Amino acid sequence: MSLHRRALLGLFSAGAAGAAAPVAARSISPVAFLHGVASGDPGPDGVVIWTRVTPTDPTARAVRVDWSVWREGDAAASVTAGTVETGPERDFTVKIPVTGLQPGVDYRYAFTAGEAVSPHGRTRTLPAGPTPEVVLAVASCQLFPGGLFNAWDAVSKLERLDAVVHLGDYIYEYGAEPDAYGMASGAPLGRIPEPAHEIVSLADYRTRHAQYKSDPDLQAAHARAPFICVWDDHELANDAWTEGAENHTSATEGEYATRKAAALKAYFEWMPIREPAAGLTPEAIQRSFDFGDLASLLMVETRLLARGQQLTYGSDMPVADGRPDVAAFEAKRNDPARDLLGDSQRDWIRSTLQASRASGKPWQVIGNQVVMARVQGPDITTMANPLQIAGLLATLPAAVRAQVRQSIDLFKLGVPFNLDSWDGYPAGRERLYAAFAEAGVQPIVLAGDSHAFWIDDLKDAAGARRGVEFGTSAISSPSPGDAVPRLPLGAALMQANDEVVFCDQSAKGYVLLTLTPDQARAELRTVSTLFAKPYQAGVLKTFTVARTAEGLGELVEV
């Protein structure tokens, strides 16, 4: 029995406010810790710690869980500890808002229940005061059947890491049918979604979260550093918006509001994120984090608070005299009412950016789900002759061939590459850029969702520079370039778009963002394969941008 185990069993004296009901005298159900530990939402004086206990008795109604936090390197002395109770009403998850910690310090934590002891986790509080450096891993889009989570293994082995910024698509909702998303790789790998059907109910979402948290590579990443998370669409359903989703059919799947409530309840149970703030709806997860005097990170919500329904070329591109009416489509796309944020959230962004700048912080960072840059679909007919294009199409599977043929025809019209991104909401983007300008900042925008790496120079409709964007590829979700391996899609997007400095539409991995007072450095970190171990970790590209007295410097590849 270790010194720390004795500490866990003997030093629990402080309760966890708001985390669970007071503990009553009762028998303790035997349990196992099958889903690891996690921490998140760090502050200068505290952090959320999380675990889940799995009772061996299926009739168990309550489990007592002890927790302890200690400074890195001093396992014998708990800094704070407590006892809580969990049960089926929250799927036996445990979430503790720990307070009373010191800023900028590494801590360890663990849980016990009866004789069961959880793995140890490592977390870190936010710094306060002078801060010479912050290191963040930026990640998104982890499809369980899409491949092994090798990128999470790579994150877990980073020597220096302050926090992980997760931009959404932590889980996916699809089932295990042979033609379901990702099953072409999931079936041979034995990574079969649980439950095997598309998730709709609370029990379904809980089961899916449990499967993801059972992955050892993801567990290792969670145990390495605190996560700062927002959801995107697949935590609920593909292309979610305020009143529906592309992948939701009320006639067969029930009311959208019921499904959304189930998805969000499971999310707050299973993720190391603070509970919804008093007076706010669960959708309002926008929040900010200050890294000493160096940077402010704003995590925004672009799915459920204010997003209007996505346009589609099939439904919203009129045809006149047998030809697409691009002008009519553009009128729809530029409707001033189209938005992702809403006035209240945009006002919060503006005021938070202003406060960050007024406090003298050199960096403001926006944790945003979807690509913000203006990205026109590439017209490959200007890059290849008809014979070459026909040869490319002939190499593709029939279903993919039809989609690519359609995209080739569409992109000749000069329309956006992705209508689910900010390009589907240009008026809302201009209002956000105006908020940046009013706050007097040029932020770093982080983006997920696209399964591709992006380095973008953000400009408003008048051509004024408004910031830079670092977009992360997927942990394991298929990339657009995977479907057309013979087409250099990233290069084509760079050629077609002034704002796109670099793009890779095939590599998988994460962005390692390092901030110092004078420079931001974005390393596009990759893994060599999703389908085997061992793998090779690499760096695809590295870009820097300087912080100058006049604002952001130029993006420079190093």
Side-chain angles (χ1 to χ4, degrees):
M1 185 178 292
S2 69
L3 284 174
H4 181 63
R5 173 147 177 81
R6 283 197 287 270
L8 282 171
L9 295 177
L11 296 178
F12 297 114
S13 58
V23 178
R26 67 188 68 205
S27 61
I28 300 176
S29 300
V31 302
F33 290 94
L34 302 181
H35 301 97
V37 298
S39 68
D41 278 14
D45 63 348
V47 67
V48 171
I49 60 173
W50 176 97
T51 193
R52 199 259 186 170
V53 294
T54 303
T56 56
D57 178 2
T59 66
R61 304 303 301 169
V63 176
R64 193 180 79 172
V65 181
D66 299 325
W67 58 270
S68 181
V69 177
W70 65 99
R71 286 183 75 118
E72 175 77 26
D74 191 7
S78 291
V79 172
T80 185
T83 302
V84 296
E85 193 173 85
T86 187
E89 72 283 350
R90 58 172 302 111
D91 203 19
F92 294 95
T93 60
V94 175
K95 187 157 54 174
I96 312 296
V98 180
T99 58
L101 305 182
Q102 296 299 308
V105 172
D106 287 325
Y107 289 91
R108 295 273 182 171
Y109 61 96
F111 303 83
T112 65
E115 292 300 310
V117 182
S118 77
H120 291 184
R122 179 179 176 182
T123 192
R124 183 173 176 82
T125 51
L126 296 187
T131 302
E133 183 180 69
V134 167
V135 180
L136 304 172
V138 183
S140 181
C141 303
Q142 52 201 52
L143 178 67
F144 189 83
L148 302 175
F149 289 169
N150 288 338
W152 282 130
D153 178 70
V155 168
S156 75
K157 294 174 179 175
L158 289 171
E159 183 176 349
R160 171 67 197 281
L161 183 61
D162 291 290
V164 174
V165 179
H166 199 295
L167 300 175
D169 292 345
Y170 187 95
I171 65 168
Y172 282 74
E173 79 276 20
Y174 301 108
E177 299 80 9
D179 61 345
Y181 188 53
M183 284 305 295
S185 54
L189 287 172
R191 292 174 71 87
I192 311 301
E194 297 174 1
H197 56 265
E198 183 181 325
I199 54 176
V200 176
S201 69
L202 176 58
D204 291 343
Y205 281 101
R206 285 170 164 175
T207 300
R208 190 62 57 84
H209 273 282
Q211 180 182 37
Y212 276 62
K213 285 277 198 322
S214 70
D215 184 273
D217 293 329
L218 180 55
Q219 285 189 14
H222 271 299
R224 172 63 183 85
F227 274 49
I228 299 173
C229 301
V230 288
W231 55 61
D232 193 27
D233 53 340
H234 290 288
E235 286 88 347
L236 200 167
N238 182 56
D239 286 1
W241 56 290
T242 54
E243 298 180 20
E246 179 276 331
N247 194 28
H248 179 79
T249 305
S250 297
T252 57
E253 295 174 325
E255 292 298 322
Y256 178 70
T258 302
R259 183 177 185 178
K260 180 174 73 171
L264 297 195
K265 177 172 173 55
Y267 185 89
F268 280 105
E269 290 171 348
W270 278 87
M271 297 296 291
I273 183 176
R274 296 183 189 277
E275 295 298 302
L280 297 178
T281 64
E283 294 91 339
I285 59 169
Q286 67 271 23
R287 58 214 195 280
S288 63
F289 302 84
D290 289 323
F291 291 81
D293 65 352
L294 185 61
S296 296
L297 169 65
L298 286 68
M299 302 294 280
V300 303
E301 203 290 330
T302 63
R303 284 290 171 187
L304 305 180
L305 279 172
R307 178 186 280 258
Q309 187 172 11
Q310 295 87 345
L311 299 177
T312 69
Y313 292 117
S315 300
D316 297 292
M317 176 75 80
V319 177
D321 299 325
R323 303 183 63 183
D325 190 340
V326 178
F329 172 78
E330 285 296 291
K332 284 186 181 182
R333 189 171 72 92
N334 286 284
D335 183 341
R338 295 191 60 74
D339 202 0
L340 292 182
L341 296 171
D343 291 340
S344 177
Q345 184 174 191
R346 189 165 39 253
D347 289 345
W348 170 80
I349 291 170
R350 180 190 300 107
S351 63
T352 306
L353 292 175
Q354 286 172 334
S356 176
R357 180 174 179 268
S359 70
K361 294 180 180 65
W363 298 106
Q364 291 75 39
V365 183
I366 309 290
N368 147 82
Q369 289 89 333
V370 296
V371 172
M372 193 171 288
R374 289 180 294 171
V375 183
Q376 179 179 306
D379 180 4
I380 69 168
T381 64
T382 65
M383 308 172 193
N385 61 49
L387 186 61
Q388 291 171 320
I389 294 173
L392 166 68
L393 292 171
T395 66
L396 302 176
V400 176
R401 187 184 310 135
Q403 296 173 19
V404 173
R405 177 76 264 178
Q406 183 183 47
S407 296
I408 291 172
D409 292 339
L410 274 170
F411 294 155
K412 287 191 295 186
L413 305 175
V415 295
F417 184 61
N418 180 6
L419 294 175
D420 186 55
S421 71
W422 279 92
D423 266 333
Y425 305 82
R429 180 171 54 198
E430 289 301 303
R431 286 190 288 272
L432 179 60
Y433 284 166
F436 292 171
E438 290 167 21
V441 302
Q442 291 178 321
I444 294 172
V445 174
L446 306 177
D449 182 69
S450 70
H451 310 175
F453 283 118
W454 302 84
I455 303 292
D456 300 321
D457 220 352
L458 300 178
K459 299 174 183 177
D460 64 18
R465 193 183 195 208
R466 294 304 177 200
V468 297
E469 181 169 48
F470 301 145
T472 183
S473 187
I475 294 291
S476 62
S477 302
S479 298
D482 297 340
V484 285
R486 293 181 55 192
L487 175 66
L489 184 56
L493 287 162
M494 292 161 61
Q495 181 176 326
N497 294 281
D498 291 340
E499 291 188 28
V500 181
V501 176
F502 176 76
C503 181
D504 183 283
Q505 291 278 326
S506 297
K508 307 298 187 295
Y510 63 98
V511 172
L512 191 67
L513 177 63
T514 302
L515 302 175
T516 64
D518 300 323
Q519 185 186 83
R521 178 184 181 94
E523 298 174 46
L524 311 184
R525 297 259 179 140
T526 60
V527 292
S528 58
T529 180
L530 303 181
F531 310 117
K533 289 181 181 295
Y535 64 91
Q536 296 296 316
V539 178
L540 178 66
K541 294 280 185 178
T542 299
F543 283 83
T544 63
V545 60
R547 169 61 67 191
T548 70
E550 292 74 32
L552 292 181
E554 295 301 311
L555 284 162
V556 177
E557 183 180 352
V558 296

